[in-house]
Amino acid sequence: MYSLDSFTNVPLIISAVAGLLLISLLAVIKYRNTAKISFIFYVVLVVLIAGIIYTVSTSHTIYLACTILAAEILVLPYLIILASGISIKREKKAKQKSAEAEKAESSPGKADAVTLERYEKILAVNRDFTVKAANMFSDEDSLDKFLGYFNKKLTETTHADGCVILLADEFDNILAVRSMSGSFPPPYKLPDDLPHKPVRIETNFRYAQFPLQDNVFGNVASGGEPVLIPDSSKDTRIYQNGPEDFLACGSYIFVPIKINDEVTGVASLSRNPDKEKFGAAEFEDAKIITEAASTALKPLFSFLEYSEHSELTKEGDIAAKFQKQLLPEKLPAVTNVSLGCWSSTAENVCGDYYDVIFSRRDRVSYIMADIAGKGMNSFTVMVMVRAMLRLIVNTPQSAGTILSWANKGICAENSNIDHFASVALINYNPLNSEAQITTCGINPVLLYSAKTNTISKISGAGEPLGVEKETVYKDINIKLASGDILVTCTDGLLESLNEFGIQYSLTSLMKVVETNHQLSGRDIANRVKDDIKKYCGNTQQYDDQSLMVIKIQG
């Protein structure tokens, strides 16, 4: 056993005093609750102080060694427990905080706090679009300007590479592109015969019409819910046209445009595959902006509807008067041909006209045209198309070349109005009963064969007049026999609606022609007219209806 001298007692006494000071500080901390202190520390300090005092009083160092050992034994289990349990404790604490956060999130007060920023953003965007729409009411092209602003706002906010806005046609149940900007690889299957050139692809997209099914635009409109497609290569809803780089599809956002819970269009955004994919933030911004634009569109549509009806009532009366003057008063008599024609104009539309031009002994040109637009706009284009065709059919050029030349002339126009037309041109040679046919747009040409007693559509789909300057239209050459019938009409006839909103259709027209094939061309045309009147009843029609029946006799 070792003894202590007076010199050694000094640090021990100081240690004891320091220990008492530490116990005092721990007591203050416990009282003020400024930190969490384990009771182990209190016990250890008391043992150490007691050991030091006893060692000094007895002068035996063995007591000091035993005291330190006892303190270590007391602290060691606590440290072992702390070392092994800290990760579990933190995990438990993290789960507790997460649960508290979820509980707070679900509470009304917290929910209001979390969504306050979003509501403020929605209000700001709504104010912006409402003001823009109000300022554009008096503009002639207010809807196009508003959609252009909508397009720009979407593109800039989401940092998209391209944006396409489509609006629904309430009568045809289709979506049509109304605003398009930037790089937007078509997410639908392109026609097989369409050249993969940027200009041709964009033109096809810009004037394409999408049904409400079997394509991503129509599916979004039908479903009524926004869609985020971060990676189109893994999504079957996007068709990969490739392999050209400009056709490579990347990331897409589709948001339905709703007015009074009714889908009236689709706002679409694209981002190239070499860019960062669209995420939740861009998706949320697109939904907020589209919702604001939808709110502003309602009063704009109402104003435009009123304004258009008022303006068309004035213009329509004038245009309809001149439209009747363009139709031939007396149809020229052609050897061995029985001809029947009629046109029924819808209020304020003025879109259809037909013509019969006896240019020389071996050519009679039969024309059926449907001009896009309404009122004076469509009448102006009608006059241009009629004048060009009347001039060019007097040349020895084929039917396809005649339409191609007229198309170049229409495309050269720089007017702000749409100048598109669907045309069916039939050049008939009465000397050998041969016909050369070409079409553009959607006007069909039907052939009833007296030999087989069958009727079929012989024309194909083609770009309308005035879309693409370099479009070349093809010829269809046929030999006609006695009893054969050629029929052409405008889409307004085929889309005539009955009281249930169901269209008349090409099948109904073919059935009437086939049933009455033994009659003259004029009588067949009248039978079709009577059948449509019976089918539609008093239902209001929204497009001109025109028909031409050419029957070969003898």
Side-chain angles (χ1 to χ4, degrees), residues 446-449 453-455 484-488 504 506-519 524-525 527-528 531 547-549 551:
L446 312 177
L447 171 63
Y448 171 81
S449 172
N453 191 30
T454 58
I455 185 170
D484 288 350
I485 304 171
L486 289 172
V487 180
T488 183
Y504 183 69
L506 186 65
T507 303
S508 299
L509 172 62
M510 295 169 71
K511 183 177 180 181
V512 175
V513 174
E514 186 176 10
T515 303
N516 298 279
H517 67 273
Q518 74 280 4
L519 302 179
I524 294 173
R527 290 295 174 89
V528 173
D531 192 58
L547 176 73
M548 178 180 288
V549 179
K551 182 174 182 180

Side-chain angles (χ1 to χ4, degrees), residues 283-302:
F283 191 40
E284 180 69 14
D285 285 339
K287 289 189 289 185
I288 290 175
I289 293 173
T290 302
E291 183 180 350
S294 302
T295 303
L297 272 171
K298 186 180 187 305
L300 182 59
F301 277 150
S302 299

